[in-house]
mmCIF file of all heavy atoms in Angstrom:
data_model
loop_
_atom_site.group_PDB
_atom_site.id
_atom_site.type_symbol
_atom_site.label_atom_id
_atom_site.label_comp_id
_atom_site.label_asym_id
_atom_site.label_seq_id
_atom_site.Cartn_x
_atom_site.Cartn_y
_atom_site.Cartn_z
ATOM 1 N N GLY A 54 13.610 1.414 -8.173
ATOM 2 C CA GLY A 54 13.856 1.441 -6.731
ATOM 3 C C GLY A 54 12.878 2.350 -6.002
ATOM 4 O O GLY A 54 12.386 1.995 -4.924
ATOM 5 N N VAL A 55 12.569 3.499 -6.588
ATOM 6 C CA VAL A 55 11.575 4.405 -5.994
ATOM 7 C C VAL A 55 10.212 3.726 -5.962
ATOM 8 O O VAL A 55 9.489 3.794 -4.958
ATOM 9 C CB VAL A 55 11.508 5.738 -6.780
ATOM 10 C CG1 VAL A 55 10.303 6.556 -6.383
ATOM 11 C CG2 VAL A 55 12.786 6.526 -6.576
ATOM 12 N N PHE A 56 9.842 3.029 -7.031
ATOM 13 C CA PHE A 56 8.569 2.314 -7.085
ATOM 14 C C PHE A 56 8.489 1.266 -5.981
ATOM 15 O O PHE A 56 7.493 1.182 -5.263
ATOM 16 C CB PHE A 56 8.400 1.657 -8.462
ATOM 17 C CG PHE A 56 7.224 0.744 -8.563
ATOM 18 C CD1 PHE A 56 5.940 1.250 -8.595
ATOM 19 C CD2 PHE A 56 7.395 -0.622 -8.632
ATOM 20 C CE1 PHE A 56 4.843 0.407 -8.696
ATOM 21 C CE2 PHE A 56 6.322 -1.465 -8.732
ATOM 22 C CZ PHE A 56 5.035 -0.957 -8.768
ATOM 23 N N ILE A 57 9.527 0.471 -5.844
ATOM 24 C CA ILE A 57 9.533 -0.581 -4.823
ATOM 25 C C ILE A 57 9.460 0.027 -3.427
ATOM 26 O O ILE A 57 8.726 -0.467 -2.561
ATOM 27 C CB ILE A 57 10.775 -1.477 -4.984
ATOM 28 C CG1 ILE A 57 10.638 -2.294 -6.272
ATOM 29 C CG2 ILE A 57 10.964 -2.397 -3.779
ATOM 30 C CD1 ILE A 57 11.884 -3.055 -6.661
ATOM 31 N N ALA A 58 10.194 1.099 -3.185
ATOM 32 C CA ALA A 58 10.165 1.752 -1.879
ATOM 33 C C ALA A 58 8.770 2.285 -1.560
ATOM 34 O O ALA A 58 8.282 2.148 -0.419
ATOM 35 C CB ALA A 58 11.183 2.885 -1.830
ATOM 36 N N LEU A 59 8.090 2.867 -2.545
ATOM 37 C CA LEU A 59 6.730 3.366 -2.325
ATOM 38 C C LEU A 59 5.756 2.237 -2.043
ATOM 39 O O LEU A 59 4.892 2.349 -1.168
ATOM 40 C CB LEU A 59 6.263 4.186 -3.532
ATOM 41 C CG LEU A 59 6.892 5.557 -3.701
ATOM 42 C CD1 LEU A 59 6.465 6.171 -5.036
ATOM 43 C CD2 LEU A 59 6.506 6.468 -2.553
ATOM 44 N N VAL A 60 5.875 1.130 -2.764
ATOM 45 C CA VAL A 60 4.980 -0.006 -2.536
ATOM 46 C C VAL A 60 5.193 -0.590 -1.139
ATOM 47 O O VAL A 60 4.230 -0.891 -0.430
ATOM 48 C CB VAL A 60 5.179 -1.083 -3.629
ATOM 49 C CG1 VAL A 60 4.476 -2.376 -3.260
ATOM 50 C CG2 VAL A 60 4.673 -0.585 -4.967
ATOM 51 N N VAL A 61 6.427 -0.724 -0.728
ATOM 52 C CA VAL A 61 6.717 -1.251 0.615
ATOM 53 C C VAL A 61 6.189 -0.301 1.685
ATOM 54 O O VAL A 61 5.595 -0.736 2.676
ATOM 55 C CB VAL A 61 8.230 -1.512 0.781
ATOM 56 C CG1 VAL A 61 8.590 -1.785 2.226
ATOM 57 C CG2 VAL A 61 8.666 -2.660 -0.112
ATOM 58 N N THR A 62 6.366 0.999 1.485
ATOM 59 C CA THR A 62 5.886 1.981 2.454
ATOM 60 C C THR A 62 4.367 1.930 2.582
ATOM 61 O O THR A 62 3.827 1.891 3.692
ATOM 62 C CB THR A 62 6.332 3.397 2.046
ATOM 63 O OG1 THR A 62 7.756 3.431 1.979
ATOM 64 C CG2 THR A 62 5.842 4.429 3.040
ATOM 65 N N VAL A 63 3.674 1.920 1.463
ATOM 66 C CA VAL A 63 2.203 1.856 1.503
ATOM 67 C C VAL A 63 1.755 0.537 2.117
ATOM 68 O O VAL A 63 0.828 0.498 2.925
ATOM 69 C CB VAL A 63 1.611 2.047 0.091
ATOM 70 C CG1 VAL A 63 0.149 1.647 0.046
ATOM 71 C CG2 VAL A 63 1.767 3.487 -0.344
ATOM 72 N N GLY A 64 2.418 -0.543 1.754
ATOM 73 C CA GLY A 64 2.066 -1.843 2.317
ATOM 74 C C GLY A 64 2.228 -1.895 3.818
ATOM 75 O O GLY A 64 1.415 -2.502 4.526
ATOM 76 N N SER A 65 3.238 -1.252 4.335
ATOM 77 C CA SER A 65 3.453 -1.274 5.782
ATOM 78 C C SER A 65 2.552 -0.282 6.523
ATOM 79 O O SER A 65 2.207 -0.505 7.676
ATOM 80 C CB SER A 65 4.920 -0.994 6.104
ATOM 81 O OG SER A 65 5.253 0.331 5.742
ATOM 82 N N GLN A 66 2.150 0.795 5.873
ATOM 83 C CA GLN A 66 1.324 1.810 6.530
ATOM 84 C C GLN A 66 -0.159 1.475 6.520
ATOM 85 O O GLN A 66 -0.881 1.860 7.433
ATOM 86 C CB GLN A 66 1.530 3.172 5.857
ATOM 87 C CG GLN A 66 2.914 3.733 5.996
ATOM 88 C CD GLN A 66 3.233 4.089 7.440
ATOM 89 O OE1 GLN A 66 2.392 4.583 8.157
ATOM 90 N NE2 GLN A 66 4.454 3.798 7.856
ATOM 91 N N PHE A 67 -0.642 0.803 5.505
ATOM 92 C CA PHE A 67 -2.069 0.588 5.331
ATOM 93 C C PHE A 67 -2.486 -0.872 5.463
ATOM 94 O O PHE A 67 -3.499 -1.290 4.919
ATOM 95 C CB PHE A 67 -2.526 1.128 3.971
ATOM 96 C CG PHE A 67 -2.372 2.609 3.836
ATOM 97 C CD1 PHE A 67 -1.319 3.152 3.110
ATOM 98 C CD2 PHE A 67 -3.268 3.469 4.449
ATOM 99 C CE1 PHE A 67 -1.178 4.516 2.985
ATOM 100 C CE2 PHE A 67 -3.129 4.839 4.331
ATOM 101 C CZ PHE A 67 -2.082 5.361 3.600
ATOM 102 N N THR A 68 -1.719 -1.676 6.181
ATOM 103 C CA THR A 68 -2.037 -3.087 6.369
ATOM 104 C C THR A 68 -2.470 -3.323 7.809
ATOM 105 O O THR A 68 -1.853 -2.835 8.747
ATOM 106 C CB THR A 68 -0.804 -3.953 6.060
ATOM 107 O OG1 THR A 68 -0.403 -3.705 4.718
ATOM 108 C CG2 THR A 68 -1.111 -5.419 6.224
ATOM 109 N N SER A 69 -3.571 -4.052 7.938
ATOM 110 C CA SER A 69 -4.009 -4.484 9.269
ATOM 111 C C SER A 69 -4.442 -5.935 9.161
ATOM 112 O O SER A 69 -5.174 -6.321 8.254
ATOM 113 C CB SER A 69 -5.155 -3.611 9.772
ATOM 114 O OG SER A 69 -6.252 -3.689 8.904
ATOM 115 N N ASN A 70 -3.964 -6.756 10.068
ATOM 116 C CA ASN A 70 -4.242 -8.195 10.066
ATOM 117 C C ASN A 70 -3.893 -8.839 8.728
ATOM 118 O O ASN A 70 -4.636 -9.662 8.207
ATOM 119 C CB ASN A 70 -5.717 -8.470 10.415
ATOM 120 C CG ASN A 70 -6.051 -8.026 11.820
ATOM 121 O OD1 ASN A 70 -5.180 -8.009 12.685
ATOM 122 N ND2 ASN A 70 -7.287 -7.661 12.044
ATOM 123 N N HIS A 71 -2.778 -8.456 8.178
ATOM 124 C CA HIS A 71 -2.248 -8.982 6.917
ATOM 125 C C HIS A 71 -3.154 -8.718 5.720
ATOM 126 O O HIS A 71 -3.133 -9.455 4.737
ATOM 127 C CB HIS A 71 -1.955 -10.476 7.038
ATOM 128 C CG HIS A 71 -0.988 -10.807 8.129
ATOM 129 N ND1 HIS A 71 0.343 -10.461 8.058
ATOM 130 C CD2 HIS A 71 -1.147 -11.422 9.326
ATOM 131 C CE1 HIS A 71 0.953 -10.866 9.150
ATOM 132 N NE2 HIS A 71 0.069 -11.449 9.938
ATOM 133 N N HIS A 72 -4.006 -7.695 5.804
ATOM 134 C CA HIS A 72 -4.868 -7.309 4.693
ATOM 135 C C HIS A 72 -4.690 -5.815 4.434
ATOM 136 O O HIS A 72 -4.642 -5.016 5.363
ATOM 137 C CB HIS A 72 -6.332 -7.596 5.007
ATOM 138 C CG HIS A 72 -6.677 -9.048 5.053
ATOM 139 N ND1 HIS A 72 -5.857 -9.993 5.573
ATOM 140 C CD2 HIS A 72 -7.774 -9.710 4.634
ATOM 141 C CE1 HIS A 72 -6.417 -11.179 5.480
ATOM 142 N NE2 HIS A 72 -7.602 -11.026 4.910
ATOM 143 N N LEU A 73 -4.650 -5.454 3.184
ATOM 144 C CA LEU A 73 -4.532 -4.055 2.789
ATOM 145 C C LEU A 73 -5.916 -3.422 2.853
ATOM 146 O O LEU A 73 -6.879 -3.963 2.313
ATOM 147 C CB LEU A 73 -3.972 -3.977 1.365
ATOM 148 C CG LEU A 73 -3.532 -2.618 0.850
ATOM 149 C CD1 LEU A 73 -2.349 -2.115 1.667
ATOM 150 C CD2 LEU A 73 -3.141 -2.712 -0.609
ATOM 151 N N ASN A 74 -6.029 -2.272 3.530
ATOM 152 C CA ASN A 74 -7.343 -1.633 3.613
ATOM 153 C C ASN A 74 -7.645 -0.839 2.340
ATOM 154 O O ASN A 74 -6.840 -0.774 1.417
ATOM 155 C CB ASN A 74 -7.456 -0.756 4.872
ATOM 156 C CG ASN A 74 -6.461 0.375 4.908
ATOM 157 O OD1 ASN A 74 -5.949 0.793 3.885
ATOM 158 N ND2 ASN A 74 -6.192 0.872 6.107
ATOM 159 N N GLU A 75 -8.833 -0.262 2.275
ATOM 160 C CA GLU A 75 -9.292 0.410 1.060
ATOM 161 C C GLU A 75 -8.386 1.582 0.672
ATOM 162 O O GLU A 75 -8.052 1.755 -0.494
ATOM 163 C CB GLU A 75 -10.720 0.900 1.265
ATOM 164 C CG GLU A 75 -11.334 1.508 0.036
ATOM 165 C CD GLU A 75 -12.785 1.915 0.260
ATOM 166 O OE1 GLU A 75 -13.366 1.561 1.286
ATOM 167 O OE2 GLU A 75 -13.304 2.605 -0.621
ATOM 168 N N THR A 76 -7.991 2.367 1.640
ATOM 169 C CA THR A 76 -7.118 3.507 1.355
ATOM 170 C C THR A 76 -5.779 3.041 0.785
ATOM 171 O O THR A 76 -5.241 3.651 -0.145
ATOM 172 C CB THR A 76 -6.892 4.327 2.640
ATOM 173 O OG1 THR A 76 -8.151 4.684 3.189
ATOM 174 C CG2 THR A 76 -6.083 5.570 2.359
ATOM 175 N N GLY A 77 -5.260 1.971 1.318
ATOM 176 C CA GLY A 77 -4.014 1.425 0.807
ATOM 177 C C GLY A 77 -4.146 0.921 -0.617
ATOM 178 O O GLY A 77 -3.230 1.053 -1.420
ATOM 179 N N GLY A 78 -5.306 0.347 -0.933
ATOM 180 C CA GLY A 78 -5.549 -0.104 -2.302
ATOM 181 C C GLY A 78 -5.550 1.052 -3.281
ATOM 182 O O GLY A 78 -4.957 0.970 -4.358
ATOM 183 N N TYR A 79 -6.221 2.133 -2.891
ATOM 184 C CA TYR A 79 -6.214 3.324 -3.743
ATOM 185 C C TYR A 79 -4.806 3.895 -3.884
ATOM 186 O O TYR A 79 -4.412 4.353 -4.962
ATOM 187 C CB TYR A 79 -7.148 4.396 -3.190
ATOM 188 C CG TYR A 79 -8.606 4.068 -3.337
ATOM 189 C CD1 TYR A 79 -9.478 4.273 -2.279
ATOM 190 C CD2 TYR A 79 -9.114 3.562 -4.518
ATOM 191 C CE1 TYR A 79 -10.824 3.977 -2.401
ATOM 192 C CE2 TYR A 79 -10.457 3.269 -4.653
ATOM 193 C CZ TYR A 79 -11.311 3.473 -3.586
ATOM 194 O OH TYR A 79 -12.629 3.177 -3.722
ATOM 195 N N ALA A 80 -4.055 3.866 -2.800
ATOM 196 C CA ALA A 80 -2.680 4.362 -2.851
ATOM 197 C C ALA A 80 -1.825 3.512 -3.796
ATOM 198 O O ALA A 80 -1.016 4.050 -4.554
ATOM 199 C CB ALA A 80 -2.076 4.380 -1.452
ATOM 200 N N LEU A 81 -2.014 2.190 -3.757
ATOM 201 C CA LEU A 81 -1.251 1.331 -4.658
ATOM 202 C C LEU A 81 -1.608 1.575 -6.121
ATOM 203 O O LEU A 81 -0.737 1.582 -6.993
ATOM 204 C CB LEU A 81 -1.473 -0.141 -4.316
ATOM 205 C CG LEU A 81 -0.710 -0.657 -3.104
ATOM 206 C CD1 LEU A 81 -1.040 -2.120 -2.853
ATOM 207 C CD2 LEU A 81 0.774 -0.487 -3.288
ATOM 208 N N VAL A 82 -2.894 1.801 -6.404
ATOM 209 C CA VAL A 82 -3.301 2.125 -7.770
ATOM 210 C C VAL A 82 -2.636 3.433 -8.212
ATOM 211 O O VAL A 82 -2.144 3.551 -9.334
ATOM 212 C CB VAL A 82 -4.835 2.211 -7.888
ATOM 213 C CG1 VAL A 82 -5.258 2.787 -9.221
ATOM 214 C CG2 VAL A 82 -5.454 0.831 -7.696
ATOM 215 N N GLY A 83 -2.605 4.415 -7.317
ATOM 216 C CA GLY A 83 -1.944 5.675 -7.620
ATOM 217 C C GLY A 83 -0.457 5.511 -7.856
ATOM 218 O O GLY A 83 0.126 6.144 -8.745
ATOM 219 N N ILE A 84 0.179 4.639 -7.080
ATOM 220 C CA ILE A 84 1.612 4.394 -7.238
ATOM 221 C C ILE A 84 1.900 3.740 -8.587
ATOM 222 O O ILE A 84 2.862 4.101 -9.272
ATOM 223 C CB ILE A 84 2.146 3.533 -6.077
ATOM 224 C CG1 ILE A 84 2.170 4.357 -4.795
ATOM 225 C CG2 ILE A 84 3.530 2.984 -6.389
ATOM 226 C CD1 ILE A 84 2.469 3.540 -3.563
ATOM 227 N N VAL A 85 1.066 2.790 -8.990
ATOM 228 C CA VAL A 85 1.263 2.139 -10.292
ATOM 229 C C VAL A 85 1.099 3.163 -11.415
ATOM 230 O O VAL A 85 1.886 3.193 -12.366
ATOM 231 C CB VAL A 85 0.306 0.944 -10.459
ATOM 232 C CG1 VAL A 85 0.333 0.422 -11.882
ATOM 233 C CG2 VAL A 85 0.667 -0.166 -9.486
#
C-alpha cells in the first residue's frame, strides 16, 4: 500500500501532458 501510494503521488506530481518528466522517472526508479 505504501508503494502504491508513492507511485500515485509521484505520477500526479511529475506528469505534464500525460507524460512523466525526467525527474519523475528518477523518482519512480528510486521508489522501486
Side-chain angles (χ1 to χ4, degrees):
V55 168
F56 172 72
I57 291 171
L59 287 173
V60 168
V61 168
T62 301
V63 166
S65 66
Q66 295 293 321
F67 296 103
T68 301
S69 60
N70 296 332
H71 302 291
H72 290 38
L73 191 65
N74 62 22
E75 185 177 350
T76 306
Y79 289 135
L81 282 179
V82 170
I84 289 171
V85 170

